[in-house]
Amino acid sequence: GNSVTQMEGPVTLSEEAFLTINCTYTATGYPSLFWYVQYPGEGLQLLLKATKADDKGSNKGFEATYRKETTSFHLEKGSVQVSDSAVYFCALTGGYSSASKIIFGSGTRLSIRP
Amino acid sequence: DAGVIQSPRHEVTEMGQEVTLRCKPISGHNSLFWYRQTMMRGLELLIYFNNNVPIDDSGMPEDRFSAKMPNASFSTLKIQPSEPRDSAVYFCASSLDGLDTNYGYTFGSGTRLTVV
């Protein structure tokens, strides 16, 4: 079945550092890929998405490229801020199964030091 | 749009009591999902509805849990009787285009349930 694997946290960086959070997936067919962000005490918010191979999703300075050849959707940001501290979830849906629901990764906690 | 609205935000109850969590999805969304989030298990999908009909409740932990969606604008998740291991944050989410969404799910802010 479909699955998502993302890097273990927590990840701690200094402000203005470069961020990469790795995400790889297993799926049959052509899934859509998502990154969600969860700020403390809040629900998950859709951060960005990509629906086909080589698509790049971007939002708030974050970006991720759908790489079918490596089955990856790594999240990157060039210069992180303290306000980016949150838990980030990689997710996928779709593929060949028309009834497939979103599968979430286990989440990666990101902490940014001033 | 006000987004997905959940109530209450926090609930503290004694073991054995009935708990009812409420959700109002985004108007026009045709699918609704109930998730549970804990440190140990992460995000777990409990049940989802499509056009108010329960499609898959295989994630519901046991018979103490039940969910209903009497109309397109309201859903409830009930736990009776509640137990301390039910303590978690419960999220409701809705989707514009069903299960296999290209737009993602919109989540509510969650209900933090504590059973003592």
Short mmCIF file of all heavy atoms in Angstrom, two decimals, chain A residues 7-31:
data_model
loop_
_atom_site.label_atom_id
_atom_site.label_comp_id
_atom_site.label_asym_id
_atom_site.label_seq_id
_atom_site.Cartn_x
_atom_site.Cartn_y
_atom_site.Cartn_z
N MET A 7 12.03 12.29 7.54
CA MET A 7 13.15 12.26 8.47
C MET A 7 12.68 12.49 9.90
O MET A 7 11.72 13.20 10.16
CB MET A 7 14.22 13.26 8.08
CG MET A 7 13.82 14.71 8.17
SD MET A 7 15.06 15.80 7.44
CE MET A 7 16.36 15.70 8.66
N GLU A 8 13.39 11.79 10.79
CA GLU A 8 13.06 11.91 12.20
C GLU A 8 13.47 13.28 12.71
O GLU A 8 14.45 13.85 12.27
CB GLU A 8 13.84 10.83 12.99
CG GLU A 8 13.48 9.41 12.63
CD GLU A 8 12.53 8.82 13.64
OE1 GLU A 8 12.42 9.36 14.75
OE2 GLU A 8 11.89 7.81 13.31
N GLY A 9 12.71 13.77 13.65
CA GLY A 9 13.11 15.01 14.30
C GLY A 9 13.61 14.72 15.70
O GLY A 9 13.81 13.58 16.05
N PRO A 10 13.76 15.74 16.50
CA PRO A 10 13.57 17.13 16.10
C PRO A 10 14.77 17.66 15.31
O PRO A 10 15.88 17.16 15.44
CB PRO A 10 13.44 17.85 17.44
CG PRO A 10 14.21 17.01 18.40
CD PRO A 10 14.06 15.58 17.91
N VAL A 11 14.48 18.66 14.50
CA VAL A 11 15.52 19.37 13.77
C VAL A 11 15.64 20.76 14.39
O VAL A 11 14.65 21.46 14.53
CB VAL A 11 15.14 19.51 12.27
CG1 VAL A 11 16.15 20.38 11.55
CG2 VAL A 11 15.05 18.13 11.62
N THR A 12 16.85 21.11 14.79
CA THR A 12 17.09 22.42 15.40
C THR A 12 18.09 23.18 14.55
O THR A 12 19.17 22.67 14.26
CB THR A 12 17.62 22.27 16.83
OG1 THR A 12 16.69 21.51 17.61
CG2 THR A 12 17.80 23.64 17.48
N LEU A 13 17.70 24.39 14.16
CA LEU A 13 18.55 25.23 13.31
C LEU A 13 18.59 26.64 13.87
O LEU A 13 17.70 27.06 14.62
CB LEU A 13 18.00 25.30 11.89
CG LEU A 13 17.95 24.00 11.08
CD1 LEU A 13 17.20 24.23 9.78
CD2 LEU A 13 19.35 23.48 10.80
N SER A 14 19.60 27.37 13.47
CA SER A 14 19.68 28.79 13.80
C SER A 14 18.92 29.60 12.75
O SER A 14 18.77 29.16 11.59
CB SER A 14 21.14 29.25 13.85
OG SER A 14 21.82 28.58 14.88
N GLU A 15 18.43 30.74 13.15
CA GLU A 15 17.72 31.62 12.22
C GLU A 15 18.60 31.90 11.00
O GLU A 15 19.82 32.04 11.12
CB GLU A 15 17.37 32.93 12.92
CG GLU A 15 16.18 33.64 12.35
CD GLU A 15 15.63 34.71 13.27
OE1 GLU A 15 16.36 35.17 14.17
OE2 GLU A 15 14.46 35.08 13.10
N GLU A 16 17.98 31.95 9.84
CA GLU A 16 18.60 32.21 8.54
C GLU A 16 19.35 31.00 7.98
O GLU A 16 19.95 31.10 6.90
CB GLU A 16 19.52 33.44 8.59
CG GLU A 16 18.78 34.72 8.96
CD GLU A 16 19.66 35.95 8.94
OE1 GLU A 16 20.85 35.82 8.58
OE2 GLU A 16 19.17 37.03 9.28
N ALA A 17 19.32 29.88 8.66
CA ALA A 17 19.95 28.67 8.12
C ALA A 17 19.10 28.11 6.98
O ALA A 17 17.92 28.44 6.83
CB ALA A 17 20.12 27.63 9.22
N PHE A 18 19.74 27.22 6.20
CA PHE A 18 19.04 26.52 5.12
C PHE A 18 18.38 25.26 5.69
O PHE A 18 18.98 24.54 6.48
CB PHE A 18 20.03 26.13 4.02
CG PHE A 18 19.39 25.48 2.83
CD1 PHE A 18 18.87 26.26 1.80
CD2 PHE A 18 19.27 24.10 2.73
CE1 PHE A 18 18.27 25.67 0.69
CE2 PHE A 18 18.67 23.50 1.63
CZ PHE A 18 18.16 24.29 0.61
N LEU A 19 17.15 25.02 5.26
CA LEU A 19 16.39 23.89 5.78
C LEU A 19 16.11 22.86 4.69
O LEU A 19 15.71 23.22 3.57
CB LEU A 19 15.03 24.36 6.32
CG LEU A 19 14.01 23.27 6.64
CD1 LEU A 19 14.43 22.48 7.87
CD2 LEU A 19 12.62 23.87 6.82
N THR A 20 16.34 21.60 5.03
CA THR A 20 15.84 20.49 4.21
C THR A 20 15.20 19.48 5.14
O THR A 20 15.82 19.08 6.14
CB THR A 20 16.97 19.79 3.43
OG1 THR A 20 17.60 20.71 2.56
CG2 THR A 20 16.40 18.64 2.61
N ILE A 21 13.98 19.09 4.84
CA ILE A 21 13.32 17.98 5.52
C ILE A 21 13.02 16.94 4.45
O ILE A 21 12.28 17.20 3.51
CB ILE A 21 12.03 18.39 6.25
CG1 ILE A 21 12.33 19.46 7.29
CG2 ILE A 21 11.39 17.16 6.91
CD1 ILE A 21 11.09 19.96 8.03
N ASN A 22 13.62 15.76 4.62
CA ASN A 22 13.47 14.72 3.60
C ASN A 22 12.15 13.98 3.71
O ASN A 22 11.66 13.71 4.81
CB ASN A 22 14.62 13.72 3.71
CG ASN A 22 15.94 14.31 3.28
OD1 ASN A 22 15.99 15.29 2.56
ND2 ASN A 22 17.04 13.72 3.73
N CYS A 23 11.61 13.66 2.55
CA CYS A 23 10.38 12.86 2.48
C CYS A 23 10.48 11.95 1.27
O CYS A 23 10.78 12.41 0.16
CB CYS A 23 9.16 13.74 2.36
SG CYS A 23 7.62 12.84 2.03
N THR A 24 10.28 10.67 1.47
CA THR A 24 10.17 9.72 0.37
C THR A 24 8.86 8.98 0.48
O THR A 24 8.27 8.89 1.56
CB THR A 24 11.34 8.71 0.36
OG1 THR A 24 11.37 8.03 1.61
CG2 THR A 24 12.67 9.41 0.13
N TYR A 25 8.40 8.46 -0.64
CA TYR A 25 7.09 7.82 -0.62
C TYR A 25 7.11 6.51 -1.40
O TYR A 25 8.00 6.26 -2.22
CB TYR A 25 6.03 8.76 -1.22
CG TYR A 25 6.21 9.03 -2.70
CD1 TYR A 25 5.61 8.21 -3.66
CD2 TYR A 25 6.97 10.11 -3.13
CE1 TYR A 25 5.78 8.44 -5.00
CE2 TYR A 25 7.15 10.35 -4.48
CZ TYR A 25 6.56 9.52 -5.41
OH TYR A 25 6.73 9.76 -6.75
N THR A 26 6.13 5.70 -1.12
CA THR A 26 5.86 4.47 -1.87
C THR A 26 4.42 4.53 -2.30
O THR A 26 3.52 4.73 -1.47
CB THR A 26 6.09 3.22 -0.99
OG1 THR A 26 7.44 3.22 -0.52
CG2 THR A 26 5.83 1.96 -1.78
N ALA A 27 4.20 4.39 -3.59
CA ALA A 27 2.83 4.43 -4.10
C ALA A 27 2.79 3.82 -5.48
O ALA A 27 3.76 3.91 -6.23
CB ALA A 27 2.31 5.87 -4.16
N THR A 28 1.67 3.23 -5.80
CA THR A 28 1.45 2.77 -7.17
C THR A 28 0.79 3.91 -7.93
O THR A 28 0.00 4.67 -7.37
CB THR A 28 0.55 1.52 -7.19
OG1 THR A 28 -0.64 1.82 -6.46
CG2 THR A 28 1.25 0.35 -6.55
N GLY A 29 1.14 4.04 -9.18
CA GLY A 29 0.51 5.07 -9.99
C GLY A 29 1.08 6.45 -9.76
O GLY A 29 2.28 6.62 -9.54
N TYR A 30 0.20 7.45 -9.76
CA TYR A 30 0.63 8.84 -9.75
C TYR A 30 -0.05 9.62 -8.62
O TYR A 30 -1.06 10.29 -8.84
CB TYR A 30 0.30 9.47 -11.11
CG TYR A 30 0.91 8.68 -12.25
CD1 TYR A 30 0.18 7.69 -12.91
CD2 TYR A 30 2.23 8.88 -12.61
CE1 TYR A 30 0.75 6.94 -13.92
CE2 TYR A 30 2.80 8.14 -13.63
CZ TYR A 30 2.06 7.17 -14.28
OH TYR A 30 2.63 6.41 -15.27
N PRO A 31 0.51 9.52 -7.43
CA PRO A 31 -0.12 10.21 -6.30
C PRO A 31 0.08 11.72 -6.37
O PRO A 31 0.95 12.22 -7.09
CB PRO A 31 0.62 9.64 -5.09
CG PRO A 31 1.98 9.29 -5.63
CD PRO A 31 1.74 8.83 -7.05
#
